[in-house]
Structures are given as structure tokens and as C-alpha cells.
Amino acid sequence: MQPMVRAFGAALASSALILGVCQVATAAPEEQAEFKVGAIDWKPCAEMPTVDCGFLTLPIDYAKPNGEKFQLAVSRRKANDQANRIGAMVINPGGPGGSGVDFSFGADRYFSKEIVDKFDVIGFDPRGVARSQPIKCSADLLQKQPSSYPKTVAEYDQLVAFNKELREDCRKQTGPIFDHASTYDVANDIDSIRRALGEKKINYYGVSYGTIMGQHYAAQYGQNIRAMIIDSNMDHSLGTWKFLETEARGAQDMFNEWVKWNDRTPGSPLYGKDVRKVWKDLLAKAARGELTYPDGSKMTPENLGSMVVGMGYGPAFKSFAQRVKDLSEGAPVPARAFAPGETFENPFPGIFCSDYNLRVSSWGEYQALNAMENHVAPDTLGSSIGHGAMMGCIGFPKATNPQRPLNIKHAPKILMTNSAHDTATVYEWAVNAHRQSRDTTVFVTYEGWGHGVYDRSECTLKINNEYLVSLKLPRSGTTCAAVEPSVQDAGVLSAKPNVPAGPF
């Protein structure tokens, strides 16, 4: 799998199991159908002339089809073998905030030749992302973000006040689409793309946060699907407690798997060492303030934990082992920064906080949640993704597209895949999402590590491609054996991202 997609998942540094069905104040499919979709004026993309680019004019609010519009960026990589073309496949790389247009530029490197030969690959930048009226926030304000790990009630209150200020700033910088950037709205946009293309049915491949788009599209427009692969799945049914708990468990699981890899792999920089002791000593050094970034700020134990989460995307087991070895010997960690005075594209507040109603109501509730995640994942202090996502939304109004059980009624069989060990979209999420949709989803597990399943092995590649081309599916519950992580890995390690930039 190409790093261009996995890089979207750099880790954030920063309660019921299933909620009841909620009303969503957004246009229903029948209302959306009243909007007349225009044609796309295709032209060669400036970045890659072999791919076509264009814009689709769509309503910001489908409930007001004659109201304010925005331009949705769309791309098309035509099937190489037009005589044997099967149809159009819409793709999304996740985020929230990943560009599907950029994803399409590398589609011939990501998907097998058989797929790009037989399908027009259709990329799009979801509303609020990249070329599609992106959500923007002031970089100066983002640099003032307080810690998402408050130690006192005063620090907690400071974070709540900051989030409220940030939301208003982003709304001001972005305009009305900020309030209409949920994945429910995106599903309406996907069907508008289908109609603009003149396709009776479409194919869809979404990875990571792209799976929640696929799930919503299947629930709203299932009858318009030929084939759909949702790879590394979100679970849009979890309340705050369970969301945080499952993410923490996934982070601790990846740490445990990394320790085992070091113990069995002679090529590891930590082979033959007591890896758990090395890590425990490193956490203690961070807690004492003995690890320092070049800008003078201190690396915290939570920063170290976020490195485990970032490592898990690859997985970058060897790179992480080398980083831990270096840190234990006194090496610094590079920090990232933004230029002052700029606006910075930051779709997280407008998208994720519209999709997930993860709202912490008080300092006391936060203390209980934080104690729970530290208990579940003592070596990583919870999950930086789960924690950062939750804390990034405190102080926000209720989500417009809140969690609810997945309800797919009119779709054909959908292929759902997940790694057994994934720090971003944890395995429990896929299991639960499949449980809610078992009549329409076929679940395949890759028994190994990392985020994204499509080409993890010959087994996963064969299952995915056979389904897309011939609609042939294996038995639900099929597994593909793990492939041992390479000692030549080139993963993403991130301990201190400055801004929530799209973990899933």
C-alpha cells in the first residue's frame, strides 16, 4: 500500500456502547433527487494531464437546493481498456481531510492493473476538503492550542474556551459550508457524482474515514451500488466511553505486538534487550521532563504514546525500534511548526465533530475517561487518536450527524475488511459494524498489522480484485494470514503533530 494514503493517518498528539437512533437534520435522498445535477466540464488536471479534472456545482444544503452552492472537485482516470470497461469506481482515502483527487493521481500505483484497466477511477475532494471549499482556520490561533491532556480544572476550562474560539474562527474563515460538512452530506454528494456521470450504479472503494462515507452511502443509496469495498472500518455507533476505550485497547495491542516483533526479529535495533524495561524507562524520563524538543518544549509520556499509534499505521516496527533506541540514548525529536499569519486547512472540527457527538460535559467526566484509557493502555496512556478526537470536540454544539447503528437495507453484498491489529480503525470497530450489517456485509480479516488491507498480501489482493471485477465474494469470516513486517520498513512516526489533521 502506498504511503500517500497511510500518511493521512499520522497520529494526533493531542457512554453507551451503541446510541439510540437519532434524527439527522439533513436532506433525505428523495429531497436530494429534486436537485438537478449539471454536467462536469472535464479538462486535463494541471497536476497530472493524463487524468481529467472538473467541478460539480452542488447545494451547500440539500434541503435548500436553490440556495447557496459550492464547487465539488472531481477527477476521472479513464479505464485503460475502454472496450472492457466495467464502470466507474469512486474512491476516498480517509481523513477526515484526505483528497480523493490526489488519491486518483496515484491510483495506478495503489490498485492492481486489472482494476485501472477495467474501471474509470473517480476521485473527489469531500466538501470542506482541499479543492472543495476547504475548511480553514487561523494558523496563529492553532499555534495557541492548549494541551489536550489538561491536568487541572483551569486547564480543562482553557481547552473548552479555546475549542469554542477555534470553531467560530473556522466558521468565519470557511463560510456556511462549515455547518454542512458532515458525512451524511458527503453521501448526498457521492450520489450527485453518480448522476453527473450518467451511471445507473457505481462502485466504491473507501479506506479509513472513507469507510464511514461508504457506510452512509450504502444506508442512503444502497440501490445505486454495484460493488463496495470498505477497508479499515469506522464504527459510527459508539458513545464517548466506548469510542475512547476501544481506541486505547488498539494502541496497547499494537505496543504488545511491537514488543513481540522485537523479541523474535534479529534485525531489530532492540533485539535481545528487555524492550518493556527500555520503554518504561523512557516514559519515566519523559515524566521527569528529561526529553526535550528542539524548540525547548518537553516531550511528555503522552507524546511517546502517540508515537506508538503513528508507528502502527505501517507498521513501522523497525523504524520505531530505532527511534526508541535513539531516544533512550539522548537523541532529540524534530518538531513541526506553521508560519504565523497564515490560514491552515483543518477539516477536523467541521467534519468529525459533526459526525461524532463525543462531548465531555465536565472536568469530572474527563478525569474518569482519562483514568479509564490509562488503565486500558498503560504503555501508551490511551490512544492519541481517540483522545485527541474526543478533546478536539469538547465545547462544540451537538453533532448534526450523530452516532447511530448502521442500517443498510437495499444494498448488494458489500466487502468489509480490517487488519486484526490496527491503531486507527481498531478491529473491534469492524467487528461491531459487521454485526450491525451482517445481512449485507461480508467480513474478511487480515490477521496481521497496519492500517489498510487492500494489498497487504496475495490473499487480500485476490479477494478484493475478484469482488470488484466479477462480484465473487468469499464466505464471511474468511481470514488472510499475516505477512511478517519487513525490517526495511519506511513508516510514519509522529509524536507531536501541531494540529488535528485527520487521524482516520
Side-chain angles (χ1 to χ4, degrees):
M1 179 145 329
Q2 301 301 317
M4 64 177 186
V5 174
R6 291 206 176 123
F8 286 125
L12 291 176
S14 20
S15 288
L17 240 174
I18 296 180
L19 303 182
V21 178
C22 302
Q23 279 302 115
V24 180
T26 317
E30 55 269 23
E31 291 174 295
Q32 191 263 6
E34 295 175 2
F35 172 72
K36 184 176 181 181
V37 176
I40 302 171
D41 182 17
W42 295 111
K43 295 178 181 177
C45 301
E47 304 92 331
M48 184 169 287
T50 55
V51 178
D52 298 325
C53 281
F55 289 92
L56 193 55
T57 302
L58 297 176
I60 287 178
D61 183 354
Y62 278 97
K64 300 175 182 177
N66 296 320
E68 191 168 353
K69 307 294 194 298
F70 80 104
Q71 298 287 298
L72 184 80
V74 187
S75 62
R76 177 182 63 184
R77 175 184 284 274
K78 288 185 177 179
N80 295 330
D81 183 2
Q82 285 290 313
N84 293 298
R85 175 186 178 275
I86 292 174
M89 180 172 70
V90 178
I91 60 173
N92 185 271
S99 165
V101 171
D102 289 348
F103 190 14
S104 72
F105 293 160
D108 59 336
R109 301 190 304 275
Y110 186 92
F111 296 103
S112 300
K113 182 178 183 299
E114 181 181 23
I115 302 306
V116 293
D117 280 352
K118 296 179 183 296
F119 291 90
D120 290 347
V121 177
I122 309 297
F124 74 104
D125 290 350
R127 51 173 63 210
V129 173
R131 304 162 186 83
S132 297
Q133 200 165 325
I135 292 172
K136 295 182 178 181
C137 311
S138 298
D140 285 350
L141 179 59
L142 289 167
Q143 287 187 313
K144 298 174 184 176
Q145 181 175 5
S147 171
S148 60
Y149 291 89
K151 303 303 181 186
T152 66
V153 65
E155 289 182 358
Y156 173 85
D157 291 342
Q158 183 185 12
L159 181 59
V160 173
F162 171 84
N163 280 355
K164 291 180 178 179
E165 183 182 2
L166 177 64
R167 181 177 183 273
E168 289 310 308
D169 174 82
C170 298
R171 290 181 80 225
K172 181 179 177 181
Q173 299 284 349
T174 304
I177 204 166
F178 184 93
D179 294 330
H180 299 276
S182 79
T183 299
Y184 192 97
D185 297 302
V186 172
N188 288 334
D189 293 341
I190 293 174
D191 205 60
S192 292
I193 294 172
R194 176 194 65 81
R195 293 165 61 200
L197 294 172
E199 300 284 341
K200 184 177 180 181
K201 294 179 182 290
I202 58 169
N203 306 275
Y204 180 84
Y205 172 84
V207 60
S208 197
Y209 211 77
T211 64
I212 198 171
M213 298 177 191
Q215 292 169 14
H216 276 55
Y217 188 78
Q220 295 167 232
Y221 299 99
Q223 70 279 6
N224 297 337
I225 296 170
R226 174 190 171 269
M228 174 177 284
I229 297 173
I230 41 180
D231 178 344
S232 305
N233 280 261
M234 301 292 293
D235 181 358
H236 194 232
S237 73
L238 301 180
T240 304
W241 186 279
K242 207 65 185 179
F243 179 91
L244 197 65
E245 181 186 5
T246 51
E247 282 286 84
R249 196 151 41 236
Q252 182 64 42
D253 170 71
M254 188 62 73
F255 177 83
N256 295 339
E257 291 296 310
W258 173 70
V259 170
K260 289 186 240 180
W261 179 86
N262 282 288
D263 290 345
R264 69 173 180 265
T265 308
S268 166
L270 294 175
Y271 181 69
K273 297 183 181 297
D274 185 343
V275 177
R276 291 188 182 275
K277 184 179 185 304
V278 170
W279 182 253
K280 184 177 180 180
D281 291 345
L282 203 55
L283 286 174
K285 288 178 71 175
R288 293 192 300 268
E290 297 174 8
L291 300 177
T292 305
Y293 290 106
D295 64 3
S297 61
K298 299 297 183 181
M299 173 182 266
T300 66
E302 290 85 2
N303 292 147
L304 283 172
S306 76
M307 290 172 61
V308 176
V309 175
M311 168 272 288
Y313 281 80
F317 283 169
K318 183 179 181 181
S319 299
F320 184 59
Q322 187 65 56
R323 176 67 58 82
V324 170
K325 182 175 184 292
D326 292 344
L327 284 173
S328 68
E329 296 171 354
V333 177
R336 294 163 49 189
F338 300 122
E342 297 178 352
T343 56
F344 186 83
E345 293 185 14
N346 182 27
F348 180 85
I351 300 175
F352 184 85
C353 298
S354 294
D355 284 337
Y356 277 85
N357 204 41
L358 307 178
R359 304 298 189 263
V360 181
S361 61
S362 67
W363 165 244
E365 184 183 6
Y366 168 72
Q367 288 180 298
L369 287 162
N370 187 227
M372 176 271 291
E373 63 179 337
N374 290 342
H375 175 74
V376 170
D379 290 302
T380 61
L381 300 178
S383 162
S384 57
I385 290 179
H387 186 99
M390 176 183 74
M391 300 306 283
C393 297
I394 63 169
F396 275 49
K398 290 183 179 180
T400 57
N401 179 39
Q403 304 97 299
R404 55 199 179 276
L406 182 57
N407 184 17
I408 302 174
K409 291 183 177 179
H410 305 296
K413 292 292 185 181
I414 292 168
L415 177 59
M416 178 181 285
T417 64
N418 221 91
S419 295
H421 309 285
D422 184 342
T423 53
T425 54
V426 297
Y427 187 65
E428 289 181 66
W429 288 2
V431 171
N432 203 31
H434 171 60
R435 185 182 297 119
Q436 297 164 47
S437 60
R438 61 173 65 254
D439 291 338
T440 52
T441 57
V442 172
F443 186 37
V444 172
T445 299
Y446 168 63
E447 294 182 314
W449 312 264
H451 189 51
V453 168
Y454 174 72
D455 64 349
R456 285 286 170 182
S457 68
E458 291 183 8
C459 173
T460 61
L461 198 60
K462 182 174 185 289
I463 287 172
N464 279 278
N465 288 347
E466 281 189 351
Y467 168 59
L468 284 174
V469 173
S470 65
L471 301 180
K472 178 183 176 182
L473 281 165
R475 174 185 56 82
S476 191
T478 293
T479 61
C480 288
V483 175
E484 188 70 7
S486 170
V487 292
Q488 304 299 323
D489 66 40
V492 176
L493 298 175
S494 179
K496 194 186 178 187
N498 297 72
V499 186
F504 303 110

